[in-house]
Amino acid sequence: MDLLVDLKKGKRGAIAKAITIVENDQTEAKKLLKKIFKSSGNSIIIGITGPAGAGKSSLINKTAMVMKKLGTKPAVLAVDPTSHVTGGAILGDRVRMSESTDSGTYIRSIASRGATGAVSRSLRNSIRVLEFAGFNPIIIESVGAGQTEVEISNIADITVVVFNPNTGDSIQTIKAGLTEIGDIYLVNKSDLSGTNQLFDAVRDFIGDSVRNPVILKTSVKKNSGITVFAKTLKDMMKSKKQFKEAKDKERLEAELKDIVLNNIKEKIDELLVTDKTFSKYLKKLQSREIDPFLAGDKITKSLVK
């Protein structure tokens, strides 16, 4: 298979083709994954999340360039939580990361889909393609969009949360679930006023937690703090390596559950199209003869015996 040979050499066209297969063609994706799975699981995954407008793309652009100079071979997957049709975040991310692309970093935007663990499935397999092609670390960028954030932190070995002092509700945002997931917290755009107050708020609110995360300031505009951030990531890559095997076991368990649940859902969707019990209780529900919960229980009992 020429694709595998080119993929192993890290050829960009082959990587792009393989990730497109993973995203869009389940039958071919299964064949591809069968061939590359044993070679996967060796790269450190860095998840970078935080509110929209925190400056993640520009930050990743500069950080990837420094990490390359530090002897690593980074690749970036930017998760677009909106649509694979409009491509909303795709063009913007690519433009803001053009410097690191030119210096050899592979960057790809992938769309989140609606199925259970869909971000995870697309992302997990795209990561495996990049691992096979020799990239390490693999940086995942996601917009701070609730469930996506949690999924990213489950996939990542290192989670970075980025804040921006210009966002009026930044301190409130800190309290909204981001406190549990970060290994590193960044106050980005630190050239803006309000930086010190936000930094102090993050340190006071998160710094004393059991996990003892690293808290840093960065500014792409002034090119400050980027090298410290990149070096911190490189050091953390070494320390996280020892926990990787245990974390991988957890991730594979979660992935297997996702696959089984999706398989069951697909089977049930197919069954319901032709199931007479479903039609019968649907009509009773629509005519208000029974309530939705009773209808659901009756249908479930007929399917799961």
Side-chain angles (χ1 to χ4, degrees), residues 80-143:
D80 173 8
T82 50
S83 166
H84 60 286
V85 178
T86 62
I90 295 173
L91 182 62
D93 284 338
R94 288 269 175 84
V95 169
R96 286 189 288 273
M97 294 186 198
S98 56
E99 283 179 281
S100 56
T101 308
D102 294 343
S103 73
T105 303
Y106 183 84
I107 294 167
R108 169 77 177 230
S109 294
I110 60 171
S112 58
R113 311 286 167 97
T116 304
V119 174
S120 303
R121 185 173 65 244
S122 197
L123 210 43
R124 282 165 180 147
N125 293 328
S126 298
I127 286 166
R128 284 168 181 147
V129 167
L130 291 171
E131 285 179 315
F132 191 79
F135 290 98
N136 185 24
I138 295 159
I139 299 168
I140 313 296
E141 180 201 353
S142 83
V143 172

Tab-separated table of all heavy atoms in Angstrom, residues 80-143:
chain	number	residue	atom	x	y	z
A	80	ASP	N	-12.575	22.054	15.026
A	80	ASP	CA	-13.590	23.049	14.719
A	80	ASP	C	-14.914	22.547	15.293
A	80	ASP	O	-15.456	21.561	14.812
A	80	ASP	CB	-13.690	23.209	13.188
A	80	ASP	CG	-14.845	24.101	12.773
A	80	ASP	OD1	-15.460	24.705	13.677
A	80	ASP	OD2	-15.125	24.189	11.574
A	81	PRO	N	-15.433	23.197	16.346
A	81	PRO	CA	-16.636	22.671	16.983
A	81	PRO	C	-17.918	23.058	16.263
A	81	PRO	O	-18.999	22.762	16.719
A	81	PRO	CB	-16.598	23.331	18.367
A	81	PRO	CG	-15.932	24.624	18.111
A	81	PRO	CD	-14.960	24.414	16.984
A	82	THR	N	-17.800	23.745	15.114
A	82	THR	CA	-19.006	24.219	14.437
A	82	THR	C	-19.422	23.282	13.328
A	82	THR	O	-20.214	22.376	13.529
A	82	THR	CB	-18.783	25.645	13.898
A	82	THR	OG1	-17.553	25.680	13.162
A	82	THR	CG2	-18.706	26.635	15.035
A	83	SER	N	-18.853	23.439	12.144
A	83	SER	CA	-19.363	22.686	11.000
A	83	SER	C	-18.248	22.273	10.067
A	83	SER	O	-17.317	23.029	9.826
A	83	SER	CB	-20.353	23.560	10.234
A	83	SER	OG	-20.618	23.016	8.967
A	84	HIS	N	-18.380	21.056	9.537
A	84	HIS	CA	-17.408	20.606	8.543
A	84	HIS	C	-17.785	21.141	7.165
A	84	HIS	O	-17.076	20.931	6.196
A	84	HIS	CB	-17.328	19.077	8.513
A	84	HIS	CG	-18.614	18.405	8.177
A	84	HIS	ND1	-19.660	18.326	9.067
A	84	HIS	CD2	-19.044	17.796	7.043
A	84	HIS	CE1	-20.676	17.687	8.502
A	84	HIS	NE2	-20.325	17.367	7.281
A	85	VAL	N	-18.932	21.829	7.090
A	85	VAL	CA	-19.359	22.391	5.801
A	85	VAL	C	-18.870	23.826	5.670
A	85	VAL	O	-18.229	24.206	4.697
A	85	VAL	CB	-20.911	22.342	5.664
A	85	VAL	CG1	-21.349	22.976	4.353
A	85	VAL	CG2	-21.408	20.911	5.754
A	86	THR	N	-19.146	24.668	6.699
A	86	THR	CA	-18.783	26.078	6.593
A	86	THR	C	-17.286	26.301	6.728
A	86	THR	O	-16.744	27.261	6.193
A	86	THR	CB	-19.477	26.911	7.698
A	86	THR	OG1	-19.028	26.433	8.971
A	86	THR	CG2	-20.983	26.791	7.629
A	87	GLY	N	-16.619	25.418	7.488
A	87	GLY	CA	-15.166	25.584	7.671
A	87	GLY	C	-14.816	26.814	8.472
A	87	GLY	O	-13.738	27.360	8.343
A	88	GLY	N	-15.741	27.286	9.348
A	88	GLY	CA	-15.565	28.529	10.094
A	88	GLY	C	-14.171	28.755	10.645
A	88	GLY	O	-13.524	29.729	10.301
A	89	ALA	N	-13.719	27.855	11.488
A	89	ALA	CA	-12.433	28.074	12.161
A	89	ALA	C	-11.248	27.669	11.300
A	89	ALA	O	-10.129	28.014	11.587
A	89	ALA	CB	-12.402	27.285	13.460
A	90	ILE	N	-11.533	26.908	10.244
A	90	ILE	CA	-10.446	26.260	9.511
A	90	ILE	C	-9.500	27.262	8.867
A	90	ILE	O	-8.307	27.248	9.095
A	90	ILE	CB	-11.010	25.274	8.462
A	90	ILE	CG1	-11.732	24.141	9.188
A	90	ILE	CG2	-9.917	24.742	7.574
A	90	ILE	CD1	-12.479	23.193	8.281
A	91	LEU	N	-10.050	28.179	8.090
A	91	LEU	CA	-9.212	29.134	7.373
A	91	LEU	C	-8.444	30.010	8.348
A	91	LEU	O	-7.252	30.215	8.217
A	91	LEU	CB	-10.078	29.994	6.439
A	91	LEU	CG	-9.314	31.016	5.587
A	91	LEU	CD1	-8.334	30.305	4.665
A	91	LEU	CD2	-10.270	31.864	4.777
A	92	GLY	N	-9.156	30.503	9.384
A	92	GLY	CA	-8.521	31.368	10.372
A	92	GLY	C	-7.339	30.700	11.038
A	92	GLY	O	-6.268	31.295	11.162
A	93	ASP	N	-7.514	29.463	11.468
A	93	ASP	CA	-6.433	28.736	12.131
A	93	ASP	C	-5.229	28.570	11.213
A	93	ASP	O	-4.097	28.769	11.616
A	93	ASP	CB	-6.906	27.340	12.575
A	93	ASP	CG	-7.779	27.412	13.817
A	93	ASP	OD1	-7.679	28.410	14.532
A	93	ASP	OD2	-8.566	26.481	14.043
A	94	ARG	N	-5.520	28.202	9.962
A	94	ARG	CA	-4.424	27.984	9.013
A	94	ARG	C	-3.617	29.266	8.791
A	94	ARG	O	-2.404	29.248	8.728
A	94	ARG	CB	-5.006	27.510	7.660
A	94	ARG	CG	-5.523	26.085	7.701
A	94	ARG	CD	-4.411	25.098	7.289
A	94	ARG	NE	-4.883	23.738	7.457
A	94	ARG	CZ	-5.601	23.094	6.547
A	94	ARG	NH1	-5.953	23.680	5.429
A	94	ARG	NH2	-5.968	21.854	6.769
A	95	VAL	N	-4.339	30.396	8.668
A	95	VAL	CA	-3.669	31.673	8.423
A	95	VAL	C	-2.800	32.046	9.619
A	95	VAL	O	-1.643	32.427	9.478
A	95	VAL	CB	-4.709	32.792	8.137
A	95	VAL	CG1	-4.051	34.166	8.153
A	95	VAL	CG2	-5.381	32.555	6.787
A	96	ARG	N	-3.369	31.895	10.818
A	96	ARG	CA	-2.631	32.291	12.021
A	96	ARG	C	-1.462	31.361	12.311
A	96	ARG	O	-0.578	31.701	13.077
A	96	ARG	CB	-3.586	32.352	13.228
A	96	ARG	CG	-4.501	33.566	13.192
A	96	ARG	CD	-5.277	33.710	14.489
A	96	ARG	NE	-6.314	32.703	14.624
A	96	ARG	CZ	-7.546	32.840	14.145
A	96	ARG	NH1	-7.891	33.918	13.487
A	96	ARG	NH2	-8.451	31.885	14.319
A	97	MET	N	-1.465	30.184	11.715
A	97	MET	CA	-0.376	29.238	11.983
A	97	MET	C	0.560	29.077	10.781
A	97	MET	O	1.318	28.129	10.718
A	97	MET	CB	-0.962	27.871	12.353
A	97	MET	CG	-1.734	27.867	13.654
A	97	MET	SD	-2.216	26.182	14.083
A	97	MET	CE	-3.504	26.467	15.284
A	98	SER	N	0.504	30.008	9.834
A	98	SER	CA	1.262	29.831	8.588
A	98	SER	C	2.770	29.766	8.808
A	98	SER	O	3.474	29.031	8.126
A	98	SER	CB	0.933	30.958	7.596
A	98	SER	OG	1.194	32.206	8.189
A	99	GLU	N	3.280	30.519	9.795
A	99	GLU	CA	4.736	30.505	10.035
A	99	GLU	C	5.217	29.112	10.423
A	99	GLU	O	6.216	28.620	9.913
A	99	GLU	CB	5.092	31.471	11.171
A	99	GLU	CG	5.093	32.926	10.786
A	99	GLU	CD	5.442	33.757	12.013
A	99	GLU	OE1	4.572	33.977	12.864
A	99	GLU	OE2	6.614	34.171	12.106
A	100	SER	N	4.490	28.486	11.368
A	100	SER	CA	4.942	27.163	11.821
A	100	SER	C	4.762	26.120	10.725
A	100	SER	O	5.525	25.172	10.631
A	100	SER	CB	4.215	26.737	13.105
A	100	SER	OG	2.828	26.754	12.930
A	101	THR	N	3.743	26.306	9.878
A	101	THR	CA	3.562	25.400	8.730
A	101	THR	C	4.777	25.488	7.810
A	101	THR	O	5.318	24.480	7.364
A	101	THR	CB	2.293	25.766	7.923
A	101	THR	OG1	1.204	25.843	8.832
A	101	THR	CG2	1.985	24.739	6.862
A	102	ASP	N	5.195	26.720	7.548
A	102	ASP	CA	6.364	26.941	6.679
A	102	ASP	C	7.625	26.311	7.269
A	102	ASP	O	8.514	25.895	6.538
A	102	ASP	CB	6.602	28.446	6.458
A	102	ASP	CG	5.470	29.101	5.660
A	102	ASP	OD1	4.696	28.348	5.026
A	102	ASP	OD2	5.350	30.337	5.690
A	103	SER	N	7.695	26.247	8.600
A	103	SER	CA	8.908	25.696	9.221
A	103	SER	C	8.830	24.175	9.385
A	103	SER	O	9.693	23.565	9.984
A	103	SER	CB	9.149	26.361	10.585
A	103	SER	OG	8.202	25.892	11.526
A	104	GLY	N	7.745	23.556	8.866
A	104	GLY	CA	7.682	22.089	8.851
A	104	GLY	C	6.662	21.455	9.770
A	104	GLY	O	6.523	20.241	9.795
A	105	THR	N	5.942	22.272	10.555
A	105	THR	CA	4.899	21.713	11.427
A	105	THR	C	3.700	21.318	10.563
A	105	THR	O	3.297	22.082	9.697
A	105	THR	CB	4.451	22.763	12.481
A	105	THR	OG1	5.586	23.185	13.213
A	105	THR	CG2	3.414	22.188	13.430
A	106	TYR	N	3.140	20.138	10.807
A	106	TYR	CA	1.943	19.731	10.058
A	106	TYR	C	0.715	20.225	10.816
A	106	TYR	O	0.567	19.975	12.023
A	106	TYR	CB	1.872	18.208	9.895
A	106	TYR	CG	0.683	17.805	9.054
A	106	TYR	CD1	0.769	17.808	7.666
A	106	TYR	CD2	-0.542	17.479	9.646
A	106	TYR	CE1	-0.328	17.486	6.879
A	106	TYR	CE2	-1.635	17.154	8.864
A	106	TYR	CZ	-1.523	17.162	7.487
A	106	TYR	OH	-2.615	16.856	6.713
A	107	ILE	N	-0.169	20.952	10.126
A	107	ILE	CA	-1.376	21.496	10.754
A	107	ILE	C	-2.598	21.043	9.983
A	107	ILE	O	-2.635	21.101	8.747
A	107	ILE	CB	-1.325	23.037	10.797
A	107	ILE	CG1	-0.193	23.481	11.729
A	107	ILE	CG2	-2.651	23.626	11.290
A	107	ILE	CD1	0.149	24.932	11.628
A	108	ARG	N	-3.609	20.591	10.725
A	108	ARG	CA	-4.838	20.124	10.085
A	108	ARG	C	-6.032	20.508	10.952
A	108	ARG	O	-5.981	20.361	12.179
A	108	ARG	CB	-4.777	18.601	9.928
A	108	ARG	CG	-6.059	17.910	9.516
A	108	ARG	CD	-6.342	18.076	8.030
A	108	ARG	NE	-7.540	17.338	7.645
A	108	ARG	CZ	-7.607	16.496	6.610
A	108	ARG	NH1	-6.534	16.290	5.862
A	108	ARG	NH2	-8.738	15.885	6.319
A	109	SER	N	-7.093	21.011	10.348
A	109	SER	CA	-8.333	21.260	11.080
A	109	SER	C	-9.253	20.072	10.892
A	109	SER	O	-9.371	19.537	9.790
A	109	SER	CB	-9.015	22.517	10.540
A	109	SER	OG	-8.234	23.650	10.821
A	110	ILE	N	-9.891	19.642	11.979
A	110	ILE	CA	-10.873	18.561	11.866
A	110	ILE	C	-12.174	19.010	12.519
A	110	ILE	O	-12.154	19.737	13.501
A	110	ILE	CB	-10.373	17.225	12.464
A	110	ILE	CG1	-10.050	17.348	13.943
A	110	ILE	CG2	-9.189	16.687	11.711
A	110	ILE	CD1	-9.755	16.023	14.604
A	111	ALA	N	-13.285	18.574	11.941
A	111	ALA	CA	-14.593	18.997	12.428
A	111	ALA	C	-15.109	18.037	13.479
A	111	ALA	O	-14.907	16.838	13.390
A	111	ALA	CB	-15.570	19.067	11.261
A	112	SER	N	-15.789	18.597	14.484
A	112	SER	CA	-16.469	17.720	15.442
A	112	SER	C	-17.818	17.344	14.859
A	112	SER	O	-18.460	18.140	14.188
A	112	SER	CB	-16.640	18.424	16.789
A	112	SER	OG	-17.369	19.608	16.635
A	113	ARG	N	-18.232	16.120	15.078
A	113	ARG	CA	-19.513	15.623	14.554
A	113	ARG	C	-20.455	15.325	15.714
A	113	ARG	O	-20.058	15.315	16.854
A	113	ARG	CB	-19.292	14.351	13.720
A	113	ARG	CG	-18.182	14.492	12.678
A	113	ARG	CD	-18.633	15.354	11.490
A	113	ARG	NE	-17.505	15.739	10.655
A	113	ARG	CZ	-17.142	15.110	9.559
A	113	ARG	NH1	-17.766	14.038	9.166
A	113	ARG	NH2	-16.131	15.546	8.857
A	114	GLY	N	-21.684	14.992	15.399
A	114	GLY	CA	-22.709	14.890	16.435
A	114	GLY	C	-22.796	13.581	17.205
A	114	GLY	O	-23.471	13.518	18.203
A	115	ALA	N	-22.136	12.529	16.776
A	115	ALA	CA	-22.317	11.216	17.435
A	115	ALA	C	-21.605	11.157	18.781
A	115	ALA	O	-20.767	11.982	19.084
A	115	ALA	CB	-21.788	10.113	16.527
A	116	THR	N	-21.953	10.168	19.574
A	116	THR	CA	-21.297	9.968	20.872
A	116	THR	C	-19.791	9.810	20.674
A	116	THR	O	-19.347	8.955	19.918
A	116	THR	CB	-21.827	8.678	21.541
A	116	THR	OG1	-23.236	8.776	21.636
A	116	THR	CG2	-21.233	8.501	22.919
A	117	GLY	N	-19.036	10.652	21.373
A	117	GLY	CA	-17.574	10.551	21.275
A	117	GLY	C	-17.036	10.807	19.886
A	117	GLY	O	-15.969	10.335	19.522
A	118	ALA	N	-17.766	11.601	19.087
A	118	ALA	CA	-17.348	11.806	17.692
A	118	ALA	C	-16.053	12.589	17.600
A	118	ALA	O	-15.203	12.296	16.768
A	118	ALA	CB	-18.441	12.535	16.914
A	119	VAL	N	-15.904	13.596	18.466
A	119	VAL	CA	-14.644	14.336	18.486
A	119	VAL	C	-13.536	13.350	18.802
A	119	VAL	O	-12.511	13.286	18.134
A	119	VAL	CB	-14.665	15.454	19.561
A	119	VAL	CG1	-13.306	16.115	19.670
A	119	VAL	CG2	-15.716	16.493	19.216
A	120	SER	N	-13.784	12.530	19.814
A	120	SER	CA	-12.778	11.564	20.231
A	120	SER	C	-12.405	10.604	19.109
A	120	SER	O	-11.238	10.341	18.875
A	120	SER	CB	-13.287	10.748	21.421
A	120	SER	OG	-13.643	11.593	22.470
A	121	ARG	N	-13.414	10.082	18.400
A	121	ARG	CA	-13.129	9.082	17.366
A	121	ARG	C	-12.287	9.676	16.244
A	121	ARG	O	-11.263	9.127	15.854
A	121	ARG	CB	-14.442	8.512	16.807
A	121	ARG	CG	-14.217	7.384	15.815
A	121	ARG	CD	-15.502	6.713	15.406
A	121	ARG	NE	-16.382	7.581	14.675
A	121	ARG	CZ	-17.589	7.963	15.095
A	121	ARG	NH1	-18.052	7.561	16.254
A	121	ARG	NH2	-18.331	8.760	14.368
A	122	SER	N	-12.729	10.806	15.743
A	122	SER	CA	-12.012	11.468	14.653
A	122	SER	C	-10.605	11.862	15.101
A	122	SER	O	-9.629	11.676	14.385
A	122	SER	CB	-12.810	12.707	14.244
A	122	SER	OG	-12.400	13.156	13.005
A	123	LEU	N	-10.548	12.385	16.313
A	123	LEU	CA	-9.286	12.866	16.858
A	123	LEU	C	-8.324	11.717	17.155
A	123	LEU	O	-7.152	11.758	16.781
A	123	LEU	CB	-9.603	13.619	18.149
A	123	LEU	CG	-8.705	14.759	18.588
A	123	LEU	CD1	-8.328	15.665	17.445
A	123	LEU	CD2	-9.387	15.546	19.695
A	124	ARG	N	-8.820	10.694	17.824
A	124	ARG	CA	-7.966	9.541	18.174
A	124	ARG	C	-7.287	8.965	16.940
A	124	ARG	O	-6.099	8.659	16.946
A	124	ARG	CB	-8.818	8.438	18.809
A	124	ARG	CG	-9.203	8.657	20.251
A	124	ARG	CD	-10.315	7.694	20.615
A	124	ARG	NE	-10.748	7.850	22.002
A	124	ARG	CZ	-11.984	7.655	22.406
A	124	ARG	NH1	-12.927	7.319	21.539
A	124	ARG	NH2	-12.311	7.801	23.673
A	125	ASN	N	-8.071	8.801	15.888
A	125	ASN	CA	-7.528	8.150	14.694
A	125	ASN	C	-6.639	9.087	13.888
A	125	ASN	O	-5.664	8.647	13.274
A	125	ASN	CB	-8.665	7.564	13.863
A	125	ASN	CG	-9.343	6.413	14.592
A	125	ASN	OD1	-8.689	5.691	15.353
A	125	ASN	ND2	-10.633	6.246	14.396
A	126	SER	N	-6.944	10.387	13.912
A	126	SER	CA	-6.053	11.368	13.269
A	126	SER	C	-4.716	11.408	14.006
A	126	SER	O	-3.655	11.520	13.388
A	126	SER	CB	-6.702	12.760	13.269
A	126	SER	OG	-7.899	12.746	12.532
A	127	ILE	N	-4.777	11.313	15.330
A	127	ILE	CA	-3.554	11.264	16.142
A	127	ILE	C	-2.709	10.051	15.734
A	127	ILE	O	-1.495	10.141	15.562
A	127	ILE	CB	-3.896	11.210	17.650
A	127	ILE	CG1	-4.387	12.578	18.133
A	127	ILE	CG2	-2.699	10.750	18.484
A	127	ILE	CD1	-5.058	12.564	19.501
A	128	ARG	N	-3.379	8.904	15.556
A	128	ARG	CA	-2.644	7.681	15.183
A	128	ARG	C	-1.947	7.837	13.826
A	128	ARG	O	-0.822	7.359	13.640
A	128	ARG	CB	-3.609	6.492	15.159
A	128	ARG	CG	-3.949	6.030	16.556
A	128	ARG	CD	-5.096	5.052	16.608
A	128	ARG	NE	-5.363	4.688	18.001
A	128	ARG	CZ	-6.551	4.412	18.489
A	128	ARG	NH1	-7.620	4.433	17.706
A	128	ARG	NH2	-6.701	4.104	19.759
A	129	VAL	N	-2.605	8.507	12.906
A	129	VAL	CA	-1.998	8.769	11.588
A	129	VAL	C	-0.730	9.607	11.780
A	129	VAL	O	0.329	9.298	11.209
A	129	VAL	CB	-3.007	9.501	10.664
A	129	VAL	CG1	-2.307	10.060	9.428
A	129	VAL	CG2	-4.137	8.555	10.252
A	130	LEU	N	-0.818	10.657	12.595
A	130	LEU	CA	0.333	11.543	12.811
A	130	LEU	C	1.455	10.834	13.574
A	130	LEU	O	2.629	11.067	13.305
A	130	LEU	CB	-0.115	12.802	13.563
A	130	LEU	CG	-1.016	13.754	12.754
A	130	LEU	CD1	-1.594	14.846	13.641
A	130	LEU	CD2	-0.268	14.374	11.580
A	131	GLU	N	1.085	9.953	14.503
A	131	GLU	CA	2.103	9.171	15.222
A	131	GLU	C	2.851	8.263	14.250
A	131	GLU	O	4.079	8.158	14.302
A	131	GLU	CB	1.442	8.323	16.322
A	131	GLU	CG	1.027	9.133	17.530
A	131	GLU	CD	0.355	8.282	18.590
A	131	GLU	OE1	-0.505	7.451	18.252
A	131	GLU	OE2	0.686	8.454	19.768
A	132	PHE	N	2.101	7.618	13.375
A	132	PHE	CA	2.697	6.728	12.379
A	132	PHE	C	3.666	7.504	11.477
A	132	PHE	O	4.691	6.986	11.039
A	132	PHE	CB	1.593	6.066	11.537
A	132	PHE	CG	2.076	4.946	10.660
A	132	PHE	CD1	2.320	3.677	11.175
A	132	PHE	CD2	2.298	5.145	9.297
A	132	PHE	CE1	2.772	2.637	10.369
A	132	PHE	CE2	2.737	4.118	8.471
A	132	PHE	CZ	2.985	2.856	9.016
A	133	ALA	N	3.310	8.783	11.229
A	133	ALA	CA	4.145	9.635	10.361
A	133	ALA	C	5.326	10.249	11.118
A	133	ALA	O	6.115	10.999	10.535
A	133	ALA	CB	3.292	10.747	9.754
A	134	GLY	N	5.453	9.936	12.424
A	134	GLY	CA	6.651	10.330	13.170
A	134	GLY	C	6.571	11.626	13.944
A	134	GLY	O	7.600	12.166	14.368
A	135	PHE	N	5.366	12.173	14.145
A	135	PHE	CA	5.250	13.435	14.883
A	135	PHE	C	5.148	13.194	16.391
A	135	PHE	O	4.488	12.271	16.837
A	135	PHE	CB	4.023	14.225	14.403
A	135	PHE	CG	4.184	14.780	13.012
A	135	PHE	CD1	3.648	14.112	11.925
A	135	PHE	CD2	4.874	15.957	12.797
A	135	PHE	CE1	3.805	14.600	10.634
A	135	PHE	CE2	5.039	16.466	11.515
A	135	PHE	CZ	4.499	15.787	10.425
A	136	ASN	N	5.803	14.073	17.151
A	136	ASN	CA	5.771	14.035	18.610
A	136	ASN	C	6.374	15.354	19.123
A	136	ASN	O	7.523	15.636	18.810
A	136	ASN	CB	6.593	12.852	19.124
A	136	ASN	CG	6.497	12.691	20.636
A	136	ASN	OD1	5.543	13.129	21.253
A	136	ASN	ND2	7.514	12.067	21.221
A	137	PRO	N	5.583	16.175	19.819
A	137	PRO	CA	4.226	15.955	20.322
A	137	PRO	C	3.167	16.251	19.263
A	137	PRO	O	3.465	16.828	18.224
A	137	PRO	CB	4.128	16.987	21.453
A	137	PRO	CG	4.946	18.142	20.937
A	137	PRO	CD	6.107	17.505	20.222
A	138	ILE	N	1.927	15.868	19.592
A	138	ILE	CA	0.786	16.244	18.761
A	138	ILE	C	-0.061	17.202	19.592
A	138	ILE	O	-0.494	16.873	20.697
A	138	ILE	CB	-0.010	15.007	18.315
A	138	ILE	CG1	0.895	14.158	17.401
A	138	ILE	CG2	-1.289	15.404	17.583
A	138	ILE	CD1	0.500	12.725	17.273
A	139	ILE	N	-0.214	18.413	19.073
A	139	ILE	CA	-0.922	19.473	19.792
A	139	ILE	C	-2.361	19.548	19.283
A	139	ILE	O	-2.596	19.649	18.083
A	139	ILE	CB	-0.214	20.840	19.579
A	139	ILE	CG1	1.223	20.777	20.114
A	139	ILE	CG2	-0.999	21.971	20.253
A	139	ILE	CD1	2.109	21.961	19.711
A	140	ILE	N	-3.308	19.462	20.210
A	140	ILE	CA	-4.724	19.563	19.856
A	140	ILE	C	-5.222	20.929	20.306
A	140	ILE	O	-5.114	21.265	21.498
A	140	ILE	CB	-5.579	18.482	20.577
A	140	ILE	CG1	-4.935	17.100	20.485
A	140	ILE	CG2	-7.009	18.482	20.061
A	140	ILE	CD1	-4.822	16.526	19.121
A	141	GLU	N	-5.764	21.703	19.396
A	141	GLU	CA	-6.367	22.987	19.776
A	141	GLU	C	-7.873	22.851	19.748
A	141	GLU	O	-8.436	22.376	18.768
A	141	GLU	CB	-5.951	24.098	18.805
A	141	GLU	CG	-6.568	25.434	19.198
A	141	GLU	CD	-6.641	26.455	18.074
A	141	GLU	OE1	-6.091	26.205	16.982
A	141	GLU	OE2	-7.277	27.496	18.288
A	142	SER	N	-8.539	23.275	20.835
A	142	SER	CA	-10.000	23.280	20.800
A	142	SER	C	-10.535	24.570	21.367
A	142	SER	O	-9.942	25.154	22.272
A	142	SER	CB	-10.571	22.102	21.610
A	142	SER	OG	-10.633	22.438	22.971
A	143	VAL	N	-11.653	25.035	20.812
A	143	VAL	CA	-12.342	26.179	21.385
A	143	VAL	C	-12.974	25.700	22.683
A	143	VAL	O	-13.453	24.572	22.771
A	143	VAL	CB	-13.432	26.679	20.412
A	143	VAL	CG1	-14.299	27.748	21.071
A	143	VAL	CG2	-12.788	27.234	19.164
